[in-house]
Amino acid sequence: MSKPERRPYRWPSHLKKQASKLWYGCDYNPDQWPEEVWDEDIRLMNQAGVNVVALAVFSWSRIEPSEGVFDFDWLDRIIAKLGKAGIGVNLASATASPPAWLTQSHPEILWKDERGDTVWPGARQHWRPTSPVFRTYALKLCKAMAEHYKDNPYVVAWHVGNEYGCHNRFDYSDDAMRAFQRWCKHRYGTIDAVNEAWGTSFWAQRLNDFSQILPPRYIGEGNFQNPGRLLDFERFSSDALKEFFMAERDALAKITPDIPLTTNFMVSSQGFIMDYDDWGSQVDFVSNDHYFMPGESHLDELTYSSGLVDSIARRKPWWLMEHSTSAVNWRPINFRKEPGQLVRDALAHLSLGADAICYFQWRQSQSGAEKFHSAMVPHAGEDSQVFRDVCELGSDLVGFSDAGLAGTVLDKSPVAVVLDYESEWASKHSSVPSKNVSHGTEPLDWYRALLDLGIRADVVPVRSDWDTYPLVVLPSLYLLSRENSERLHDYVAKGGKVIVTYLSGISDAHDRIWLGGYPGSIRDLLGIKIEEFAPMDQHVEGGMDHLDLTNGTVAHDWADVIASISDDTRVLARYQADSWTGMDGIPALTLHDWKQGKAAYLGCRLGREGLKKTLPELLKVLKVEGLQEADEARGDVLRVERVGEDGRNRFVFLFNRSHHQVQVDREGSVLAASLAWEDADAKTATLDVNGVLVEKVVTRRH
C-alpha cells in the first residue's frame, strides 16, 4: 500500500495574526434567521469567546437562487459584521446540496441505489460524485465564490463541501459504472489483471473487456457478490468522492492560493465511510466531525477517535469542525449530555491534538430536520446551563492560549493500535465465517483494555509510522498486503514487539487468501499454523457458545483452530472445553521469539474484559520497556499530555473515566478545573464524575 504524497501543512491565520491562539467556534446559519437576530448573535459570540464560524455550508440555493444569478449581498453583510467583531470566517464552498432549480433541470445528477431507483431531492447530498453535469455546476459556484471573496480579509479558511459521502457514498448509476471502469483500468492496466485480482474464474465471472465491469448492483436476495469487486468498489467510491473534493479544492486554490483548505471528515470508532487516512494527504489541515456515543463508552470512544484523527493528521494540530453541546437529532433515542460533559468532551478533543474546537451549530434551529439538535445557543436562549458552559469553555480556551498550548502536539505513546479502513470493508462481506466479527470493533476493545490498565495507546492507520513504536497491536487486520507483511517482518527482526489477533493476515490486498494455513504471509513470524476457524454463537441451541481459557478468561464469537506450533513457540494459554468441541487443549495465546523481536498471537475474541485480564502478564513476557507495570488501579484516570517542540512545556490533562470521585497527584500549575478541585494538602486534587483537570508543567533546563 503506497503512501500518497501529502500536501504541505497550512494552518489558518487569526485575524490579528495571533499564531499562538486556539480557535473556538461553530457552524453558523444566519440565512435561517431574520437579519435583526445577527447583531444579537455577534454580541453573544463575543461573550462566549467565539473567534471563528463556518458559513454557507448549505446555502447554495441562497447564493445562486436561479441558474447563473448570484446573490452575495446577504453573505457580504454578515461576513463584514463578523470580521469587524474579530470573528474569522471558515467559508464553505456551499456545494453540499444542490438547489431545486438544478435538480429540476438536470435530474441526471441524482444518485441511484443498487436497485437502480433514483434518490430524489428532499434531504441533502442528493448528487452523484461522478456526474460531469453536477461537477460543472459545482465548480462554477466554487469559482464564483473564490472570485468574490479572494480579497476579503475576514475569510481565514475554505470549508470545501461537507461530510462527503455521508449519504451519497455509493452510487450505482451509469455515470458511476463508467467511472468505475476507468478506475479499474487505471489501477490494473489490463482486464487480465482484473480477472486475476477478483478471481473471476469462480462462477463464470471472467471479463473480456473493461466495458463489462459493473458496479455491484442488486443481484437478488440471498446471493453473494464477488468479494474482490466489492472491495474495489469500496475503494473506488472513496476515490470518486475524493476526486470530486480535489476538483473543488483546486478550483478554489487557483484563485485564492493563500487561503488554507480543508473538509470535515467523520472519523469515529464506527466511521469507515471513507479511507480517511488517504484523504488526510489531500487537505492543508485535517478536520473532523465527531458525535459522542451514549453510555459508558462515551469518553473512551471519543478519545480513541481523536487519537486516530491526530494520527491521520500525522501529529500536526487539527480542527474539530463539529461536535454537539448536548443531544443530537438523528439517533432513535437522543440522549442529552450529563452535567460537565460539554466542557469535558471539548477538553478531551483538545488534549488529543485539536487546536480548534467548534460545534454544530451556533443557534438551535427553529424548523427543519435538525431542530432538536443541540447548539451553543439552545431554544432556551442565553439564560441556560448550556450557554453558561459554552462561555466557561471559551474562557478556558483563552487561558490555554495565553499559556502557550496552541501548536503543541500529542505526546507519543509507547503502544500503537493499528487500524485499516480496507480491512473493515473486506471483513464485512456477506460470505465470511461469522458476521459477528470484523476488523472495525477490535481496535476499540484493545484501546479500552489498555486504558483500564492506565495505558493510553495511539490509534494509527496502517499506512502510518506504526513501526516506530516499541509495541504494536494488529487487531483483526484482515487484509495484509505483501508490502505490509514484509514491513512487519522487518519491524520484529529489528527488535519490535507485536501482538497479532484472530482474523489477521487472512487475505492479501485483493482479498485473495494467503495459502498454506492462516495467517499465510506471517506464519513464520508467529510460529503457528491455523487450519480452521471455530465461530461461536449464543443463539444456536446445542452449539458452542464460548470457550474457557486456562488464564481465566472466556472467548466468544470466534476462535482459531491452531493445528501446530513451531518448536520455539511458547503457549501462554490454551482452551479448556468438552471433547466434542475438538478445542480442548488447543493453543489460544502464543509467544514466538523471532530474530531480535517477539511476536504474540491471540487466536480468539476476548473482548475488553478478557483483554484487560490477559494484558498484564502478556506485557511482562513481551518485555516492553515501560509497560511491564500495567496496573488496573490507574484505570480510573485518563492521563494525556501535549508537549512543546523543545519538550520544556508540558500540558497534562487528567480525566475521570469512572462514575465515582477519584484522587490524582498534582503535577503543575492549574490552568482549568471542571468538576475538580485542589485538595487541602495542595499535592493532590479530586475529580468528580465527568471531572477534568488541566495543568501546565514546566521542565527546568539544567
Side-chain angles (χ1 to χ4, degrees):
M1 185 184 298
S2 60
K3 295 182 179 181
E5 184 177 347
R6 299 186 72 87
R7 284 174 68 85
Y9 177 77
R10 295 196 300 163
W11 187 252
S13 299
H14 285 267
L15 296 185
K16 297 180 181 179
K17 305 302 180 185
Q18 295 168 297
S20 61
K21 197 171 184 180
L22 298 168
W23 290 105
Y24 183 44
C26 53
D27 276 33
Y28 182 36
N29 296 292
D31 43 331
Q32 295 180 11
W33 297 93
E35 195 158 341
E36 55 264 26
V37 177
W38 296 359
D39 288 337
E40 175 70 359
D41 283 337
I42 291 173
R43 178 186 72 82
L44 293 175
M45 286 180 187
N46 281 327
Q47 181 178 330
V50 166
N51 57 19
V52 69
V53 298
L55 276 183
V57 175
F58 291 104
S59 297
W60 189 343
S61 63
R62 184 73 183 271
I63 294 169
E64 191 180 6
S66 59
E67 183 174 350
V69 177
F70 293 95
D71 176 12
F72 292 111
D73 288 347
W74 68 276
L75 194 52
D76 292 345
R77 291 196 301 276
I78 189 59
I79 290 176
K81 284 178 178 288
L82 290 163
K84 290 173 183 176
I87 300 169
V89 172
N90 176 27
L91 187 58
S93 62
T95 56
S97 286
W101 60 260
L102 178 53
T103 55
Q104 183 182 43
S105 300
H106 294 284
E108 69 271 22
I109 73 171
L110 301 171
W111 62 274
K112 294 191 175 186
D113 67 14
E114 63 179 358
R115 288 177 177 263
D117 293 335
T118 298
V119 176
W120 294 101
R124 57 180 177 173
Q125 285 193 339
H126 40 279
W127 50 273
R128 60 180 73 163
T130 56
S131 167
V133 174
F134 182 69
R135 178 177 293 206
T136 297
Y137 281 94
L139 296 188
K140 180 181 177 183
L141 177 62
C142 288
K143 292 170 185 175
M145 293 280 287
E147 286 288 352
H148 190 82
Y149 290 106
K150 63 183 178 183
D151 298 318
N152 192 297
Y154 304 134
V155 176
V156 300
W158 282 113
H159 180 316
V160 187
N162 187 72
E163 293 185 338
Y164 286 93
C166 184
H167 303 285
N168 60 347
R169 177 190 181 193
F170 296 128
D171 169 38
Y172 300 87
S173 67
D174 285 349
D175 281 339
M177 176 188 70
R178 289 185 286 270
F180 186 38
Q181 291 166 356
R182 292 192 297 270
W183 183 92
C184 289
K185 189 168 187 176
H186 176 77
R187 182 177 180 88
Y188 292 105
T190 67
I191 198 65
D192 286 341
V194 175
N195 285 316
E196 176 69 16
W198 293 0
T200 57
S201 296
F202 183 79
W203 281 353
Q205 294 175 353
R206 183 168 181 81
L207 305 164
N208 295 324
D209 187 81
F210 285 98
S211 64
Q212 295 173 344
I213 292 175
L214 299 175
R217 292 168 173 161
Y218 181 68
I219 56 172
E221 296 297 330
N223 219 330
F224 301 99
Q225 296 273 6
N226 180 298
R229 180 174 67 157
L230 272 182
L231 177 57
D232 271 341
F233 193 71
E234 294 262 11
R235 290 166 170 151
F236 156 76
S237 297
S238 181
D239 283 352
L241 281 155
K242 182 181 69 173
E243 183 183 344
F244 186 87
F245 155 74
M246 292 167 62
E248 288 196 73
R249 178 201 67 191
D250 293 347
L252 295 165
K254 185 176 180 180
I255 299 169
T256 58
D258 296 327
I259 301 179
L261 306 98
T262 191
T263 190
N264 43 341
F265 299 165
M266 294 177 286
V267 176
S268 71
S269 66
Q270 299 174 329
F272 290 86
I273 294 176
M274 301 295 157
D275 184 343
Y276 288 118
D277 187 52
D278 176 44
W279 278 61
S281 65
Q282 298 302 325
V283 292
D284 292 343
F285 61 97
V286 168
S287 301
N288 193 50
D289 294 352
H290 183 272
Y291 290 97
F292 73 98
M293 185 179 292
E296 58 88 27
S297 66
H298 181 143
L299 179 63
D300 291 359
E301 194 282 333
L302 185 156
T303 58
Y304 168 96
S305 300
S306 287
L308 176 55
V309 178
D310 192 72
S311 292
I312 291 171
R314 298 302 187 264
R315 314 192 76 78
K316 299 286 188 182
W318 52 274
W319 193 292
L320 179 64
M321 195 71 77
E322 291 183 24
H323 71 315
S324 64
T325 56
S326 192
V328 299
N329 68 293
W330 38 266
R331 290 191 173 106
I333 305 295
N334 292 299
F335 294 93
R336 73 168 187 142
K337 286 192 175 180
E338 299 169 7
Q341 288 183 345
L342 184 153
V343 173
R344 184 206 65 180
D345 288 2
L347 297 187
H349 287 294
L350 186 76
S351 73
L352 274 294
D355 269 9
I357 302 295
C358 296
Y359 289 98
F360 179 84
Q361 60 179 322
W362 169 249
R363 186 178 287 276
Q364 192 169 2
S365 297
Q366 189 174 17
S367 60
E370 293 178 321
K371 62 182 180 291
F372 289 115
H373 193 295
S374 61
M376 297 175 82
V377 180
H379 289 150
E382 63 177 300
D383 185 15
S384 62
Q385 189 58 50
V386 165
F387 188 68
R388 285 188 284 274
D389 288 349
V390 162
C391 292
E392 176 189 337
L393 175 61
S395 177
D396 287 342
L397 294 177
V398 170
F400 297 149
S401 294
D402 292 342
L405 178 66
T408 61
V409 298
L410 177 64
D411 195 26
K412 189 174 181 179
S413 169
V415 185
V417 176
V418 178
L419 179 137
D420 178 27
Y421 288 96
E422 295 185 355
S423 281
E424 171 64 359
W425 297 341
S427 63
K428 294 285 283 187
H429 187 258
S430 59
S431 56
V432 290
S434 172
K435 294 182 183 179
N436 292 336
V437 299
S438 68
H439 165 67
T441 58
E442 195 71 12
L444 182 60
D445 280 348
W446 280 87
Y447 180 83
R448 299 193 71 195
L450 287 162
L451 285 185
D452 290 338
L453 299 172
I455 301 168
R456 183 197 63 79
D458 286 342
V459 186
V460 299
V462 71
R463 287 188 191 87
S464 71
D465 61 347
W466 52 262
D467 47 3
T468 64
Y469 286 78
L471 175 64
V472 172
V473 180
L474 298 186
S476 299
L477 206 70
Y478 175 80
L479 298 180
L480 202 59
S481 66
R482 188 173 303 279
E483 175 188 347
N484 281 327
S485 300
E486 293 172 355
R487 191 176 169 197
L488 188 60
H489 278 87
D490 290 343
Y491 166 75
V492 178
K494 295 174 183 176
K497 314 293 174 63
V498 64
I499 303 171
V500 181
T501 82
Y502 74 96
L503 200 65
S504 292
I506 305 301
S507 292
D508 65 12
H510 302 297
D511 199 5
R512 292 171 60 89
I513 300 294
W514 287 108
L515 298 179
Y518 316 112
S521 63
I522 54 172
R523 284 197 318 273
D524 59 336
L525 179 66
L526 296 169
I528 62 168
K529 179 181 178 180
I530 299 164
E531 289 189 3
E532 279 192 291
F533 310 123
M536 295 172 275
D537 190 87
Q538 297 179 349
H539 305 293
V540 177
E541 187 175 352
M544 189 168 64
D545 62 358
H546 77 281
L547 282 169
D548 295 321
L549 274 67
T550 54
N551 68 354
T553 60
V554 179
H556 53 89
D557 294 318
W558 186 287
D560 291 324
V561 183
I562 298 179
S564 61
I565 62 174
S566 61
D567 293 340
D568 54 352
T569 297
R570 294 168 54 190
V571 177
L572 304 180
R574 297 179 183 271
Y575 299 113
Q576 294 175 312
D578 292 337
S579 60
W580 63 265
T581 66
M583 297 298 291
D584 188 44
I586 295 290
L589 178 63
T590 63
L591 180 69
H592 187 222
D593 292 333
W594 197 76
K595 297 188 178 179
Q596 298 182 47
K598 296 179 182 292
Y601 186 79
L602 177 62
C604 57
R605 186 178 190 184
L606 294 181
R608 171 190 172 192
E609 290 301 317
L611 293 174
K612 181 171 67 174
K613 293 178 182 178
T614 300
L615 272 166
E617 186 62 31
L618 181 56
L619 293 176
K620 285 181 182 178
V621 297
L622 282 169
K623 298 180 180 178
V624 182
E625 185 176 352
L627 291 180
Q628 292 95 325
E629 303 303 320
D631 183 4
E632 191 172 344
R634 296 185 299 169
D636 283 345
V637 178
L638 168 61
R639 185 181 185 278
V640 187
E641 281 195 26
R642 287 183 60 162
V643 297
E645 187 175 353
D646 61 2
R648 184 168 176 245
N649 291 329
R650 306 180 72 85
F651 296 86
V652 178
F653 294 75
L654 300 169
F655 300 91
N656 185 354
R657 293 180 67 229
S658 75
H659 268 173
H660 56 261
Q661 289 185 353
V662 296
Q663 193 175 63
V664 297
D665 292 331
R666 286 283 315 282
E667 300 185 51
S669 57
V670 175
L671 298 180
S674 177
L675 298 180
W677 54 89
E678 185 179 329
D679 296 333
D681 61 7
K683 296 180 181 179
T684 58
T686 298
L687 308 185
D688 209 342
V689 178
N690 297 323
V692 54
L693 186 73
V694 184
E695 299 176 289
K696 181 177 181 178
V697 180
V698 180
T699 303
R700 294 180 179 178
R701 291 175 174 171
H702 298 288

